[in-house]
Amino acid sequence: LLLLALNQYLELMDFFTAIATRASAVRLIEPAPTREHLMRIIQAGTRAPDHGRLSPWRFVVIEGDKRGVLGDAIAEAARIANPNLNTEQLQRERDKAFRAPTIIVVTGKINRAHKIPESDQVLALGAAAENMFLAAHALGYGVMWKTGTPTIAPNVKAVLGIASEDPIVAYLYVGTTAAAGPVKEGPPIEQLVRWL
Ligand SMILES: Cc1cc2nc3c(=O)[nH]c(=O)nc-3n(C[C@H](O)[C@H](O)[C@H](O)COP(=O)(O)O)c2cc1C
């Protein structure tokens, strides 16, 4: 941990090291990313390629007590989907918002009348999310990328101030790593590539 903290102050992780060591965190705790680091992470997001330079990205940052607003909405979405959930099950849903000290919701304004295809605009949001994952990792933080019901539930979008037509591509849970996930090897790339 000390080494990680030192690394954070002395020099940033080399680019390929960052990519090679990136993994989803298993458990995240305080301290939260600093405001300065959050701005750097979001800046990295907006450096993603963006067909047509439409700057579709929008971000919602949820920290501290504000996580309760998200947690209540996630629990409400679960209750709407299944009115039979008991108190304990609803509490588990609410607790999801407390998986990390900070959550960055990666969303965007898609111009559906534009000649740039909608899919390209949404891909720019995904590229931003990965840039942000890597930036947070390079700054020494742990990250989880989550989607699921909270990306589509109308009541969740409403409390976050996200229009129903705006896609959410990621809930980036960011914090200090308490349990790191394994770095997966992945299949040998020879199996995935054909050279024409
Ligand atoms: C678009 C997208 C959505 C994801 N949604 C979830 C999710 O809802 N829940 C989850 O546990 N992980 C989610 N993940 C994380 C993946 O499960 C994870 O990246 C994968 O298991 C590989 O693990 P690694 O990140 O440690 O390499 C998502 C990843 C992406 C790219």
Side-chain angles (χ1 to χ4, degrees), residues 22-25 133 145-148 169 181-184:
R22 186 213 58 81
S24 299
F133 197 135
W145 180 333
K146 303 278 183 189
T147 52
V169 301
V183 174
K184 296 173 194 84

Coordinates of all heavy atoms in Angstrom, one line a residue, residues 22-25 133 145-148 169 181-184, ligand 1:
R22 N -4.4 -3.8 -15.1 CA -5.8 -3.4 -14.8 C -6.6 -4.6 -14.5 O -6.5 -5.6 -15.2 CB -6.4 -2.6 -16.0 CG -7.8 -2.0 -15.8 CD -8.6 -2.1 -17.0 NE -8.8 -3.4 -17.5 CZ -9.7 -4.3 -17.0 NH1 -10.5 -4.0 -16.0 NH2 -9.8 -5.5 -17.5
A23 N -7.4 -4.5 -13.5 CA -8.4 -5.6 -13.2 C -9.5 -4.9 -12.4 O -9.3 -3.9 -11.7 CB -7.7 -6.7 -12.4
S24 N -10.6 -5.6 -12.4 CA -11.8 -5.1 -11.6 C -11.4 -5.4 -10.1 O -11.0 -6.5 -9.7 CB -13.0 -5.9 -11.9 OG -13.4 -5.6 -13.3
A25 N -11.6 -4.3 -9.3 CA -11.4 -4.5 -7.8 C -12.5 -5.4 -7.2 O -13.6 -5.5 -7.8 CB -11.4 -3.1 -7.2
F133 N -11.2 4.3 -16.4 CA -10.7 3.1 -15.6 C -9.2 3.1 -15.6 O -8.6 3.0 -14.5 CB -11.3 1.9 -16.3 CG -11.3 0.6 -15.4 CD1 -12.4 -0.2 -15.4 CD2 -10.2 0.3 -14.7 CE1 -12.4 -1.4 -14.6 CE2 -10.2 -0.9 -13.9 CZ -11.3 -1.7 -13.9
W145 N -16.4 -1.6 -12.8 CA -17.3 -1.1 -13.9 C -18.6 -2.0 -13.8 O -18.6 -3.2 -14.0 CB -16.7 -1.3 -15.3 CG -17.4 -0.9 -16.5 CD1 -18.8 -0.8 -16.6 CD2 -16.9 -0.5 -17.7 NE1 -19.1 -0.3 -17.9 CE2 -17.9 -0.1 -18.6 CE3 -15.6 -0.3 -18.2 CZ2 -17.8 0.3 -19.9 CZ3 -15.4 0.1 -19.5 CH2 -16.5 0.4 -20.4
K146 N -19.7 -1.3 -13.5 CA -21.0 -2.0 -13.3 C -22.0 -1.4 -14.3 O -22.0 -0.2 -14.6 CB -21.5 -1.9 -11.9 CG -20.6 -2.4 -10.8 CD -20.6 -3.9 -10.7 CE -19.7 -4.4 -9.5 NZ -19.6 -5.8 -9.5
T147 N -22.9 -2.3 -14.7 CA -24.0 -1.8 -15.5 C -25.3 -2.3 -14.9 O -25.6 -2.0 -13.7 CB -23.9 -2.2 -17.0 OG1 -23.7 -3.6 -17.1 CG2 -22.8 -1.4 -17.7
G148 N -26.1 -3.2 -15.6 CA -27.3 -3.8 -15.0 C -28.5 -2.8 -14.9 O -28.5 -1.7 -15.6
V169 N -23.5 4.1 -19.8 CA -22.7 3.0 -20.2 C -21.9 2.4 -19.0 O -21.3 1.3 -19.2 CB -21.7 3.4 -21.4 CG1 -22.5 3.8 -22.6 CG2 -20.7 4.4 -20.9
G181 N -8.7 -7.6 -7.6 CA -9.1 -8.8 -8.4 C -7.9 -9.3 -9.1 O -6.9 -8.6 -9.3
P182 N -8.1 -10.6 -9.6 CA -7.0 -11.2 -10.3 C -6.8 -10.5 -11.7 O -7.8 -10.2 -12.3 CB -7.4 -12.6 -10.4 CG -8.9 -12.6 -10.4 CD -9.2 -11.5 -9.5
V183 N -5.6 -10.4 -12.1 CA -5.4 -9.9 -13.5 C -5.5 -11.2 -14.4 O -4.8 -12.2 -14.2 CB -4.0 -9.3 -13.7 CG1 -3.7 -9.0 -15.1 CG2 -3.8 -8.1 -12.8
K184 N -6.5 -11.1 -15.3 CA -6.8 -12.3 -16.1 C -5.9 -12.3 -17.3 O -5.6 -11.3 -17.9 CB -8.3 -12.3 -16.5 CG -9.2 -12.4 -15.3 CD -10.6 -12.3 -15.7 CE -11.5 -12.1 -14.4 NZ -11.5 -10.7 -14.0
Ligands
LIG1 C1 -19.8 -2.7 -20.5 C2 -19.4 -3.4 -19.3 C3 -20.4 -3.7 -18.3 C4 -20.0 -4.4 -17.2 N1 -21.0 -4.6 -16.2 C5 -20.7 -5.3 -15.1 C6 -21.7 -5.6 -14.1 O1 -22.9 -5.2 -14.3 N2 -21.4 -6.3 -13.0 C7 -20.1 -6.7 -12.8 O2 -19.8 -7.3 -11.8 N3 -19.1 -6.4 -13.7 C8 -19.4 -5.7 -14.9 N4 -18.4 -5.5 -15.8 C9 -17.0 -5.9 -15.4 C10 -16.7 -7.2 -16.1 O3 -17.4 -8.2 -15.5 C11 -15.2 -7.4 -15.9 O4 -14.5 -6.4 -16.6 C12 -14.8 -8.8 -16.4 O5 -15.2 -9.7 -15.5 C13 -13.3 -8.9 -16.6 O6 -12.6 -8.7 -15.4 P1 -11.5 -7.7 -15.2 O7 -12.1 -6.3 -15.4 O8 -10.9 -7.9 -13.8 O9 -10.5 -7.9 -16.3 C14 -18.7 -4.8 -16.9 C15 -17.7 -4.5 -17.9 C16 -18.1 -3.8 -19.1 C17 -17.0 -3.5 -20.1

